[in-house]
Amino acid sequence: MDVFQIEGPVRLRGHVDVNGSKNASLPIMAATLLAPGRSTLIGVPVLADISVFKKLIEQLGCPVERQEDGALAIDATKIDNPVGPYDIVRQMRASVCILGPLLARCGRVEVSMPGGCAIGDRPIDLHLLGLRQLGAQIHLKAGYVIAEAPQGLKGASIFLGGPFGSTVLGTANVMMAAVLAKGRTIIESAACEPEVADLAHCLNAMGARVSGIGSPRLTIDGISHLHPVQYRVIPDRIEAGTFMAAAAMTGGEVHIGHCRTDDMMAVVDRLRNIGVTVETNGDGCTVAAGERLVPADITTQPYPGFPTDLQAQFMALLAMADGNSVVVEKIFPDRFMHVAELTRMAANLRKEGSAVLVAGVKRLIAAPVMASDLRASAALVIAGLAAEGTTTVNRVYHIDRGYERIEERLNRIGAKITREEGGTV
Ligand code: EPU
């Protein structure tokens, strides 16, 4: 199992490009299953999570090939086995987003029920509610969700809000099922995340009729079949935000290419409050640290609010601010595995329910730390860049799930990270 040795402190300077979005790519890969034939997706990053999803699609009976030009070709001519097995779903819960497209295309699907994960319980009740309202019969057998619609699906008006607001993959699943349903579907309280909008654009490029894209009310007029597509996924706003926090935290100045700041207004707003300059230019932006890091409060919310997927990285940043900040987590109230690890690096953090009080310190001190989930690991890596000494981040496979060769890309802008084999399991 690989570890990172990170020497700090460093000051990041230079240019880094953001890759295609992981969380847009996964549901879009699932969407290609709706249309018989070969679809080609451009910009899908090379990540462990994408490899898991590729395996999942292949075992349905659809060959997936990474072409020489880097595009991902998925041949969904035939689907022999509409099943998402436990072995794959337990590795990556996003596998659940094959439910909607396979139900719509095959009239039956079995997917292992995802369990909890490091960031919380993560139920799928809203996915199932939406599919039931489209006419699916759903039951649970031996840990598998079995969904059937032998007569096809029928459009419906569906309220998809839950106790924590909208659901990203739930909206994706119901939308993908509804594009082939008879009649009109309205999804109210739909997730507005740019990744959901990207999926809707891809579906429309396949011939679907989805309107209200990017708003909480999606209208979907069902059609009888879709065609394969060539589609480019959007850049990863969470990766961009991670680079922004890293630049700010190291007193650096970094130009971030392929960065859609329009999709990141809440993040840019918080950075400016922290005293960081963000200037949009061309297809990217320049992020420059100010004289000092000013404390700021952050509350995570569904889009367009501040994303939960950047909460850990911004907590690392605020840990070095000149005063007290409060970070409140409203999407996954238990998503705080990084708190204890950052504390090992001399951050002054106190967890109170779903909030963390951050008392800024002048310096972080390197320590051996353990990555627990993708975004928590990213927070530890950027804390390591700013900390004094050599930080060892164990279990970096978590970070490889969502960031492509992060150490090489950060090293090109001034980081000193080496990847070594071994480390604490
Ligand atoms: N929820 C329910 N019932 C459901 C579904 C969700 O109560 O049926 C709750 C969740 O427990 C949570 C909230 O609704 O409290 C929002 O969860 P959501 O369904 O939106 O999360 P998700 O779709 O499973 C995606 C991303 C996550 C990201 C969240 C929130 C992908 C593959 N995953 O998950 O990304 O944190 O949306 O924005 O798109 C990551 O990339 O590190 C990651 C965890």
Side-chain angles (χ1 to χ4, degrees), residues 22-23 122-126 164 167-169 309 331 375:
K22 165 181 87 77
N23 289 351
R122 306 188 70 183
I124 58 161
D125 55 319
L126 297 169
F164 299 97
T167 160
V168 171
L169 290 179
D309 289 344
I331 310 291
R375 308 304 173 186

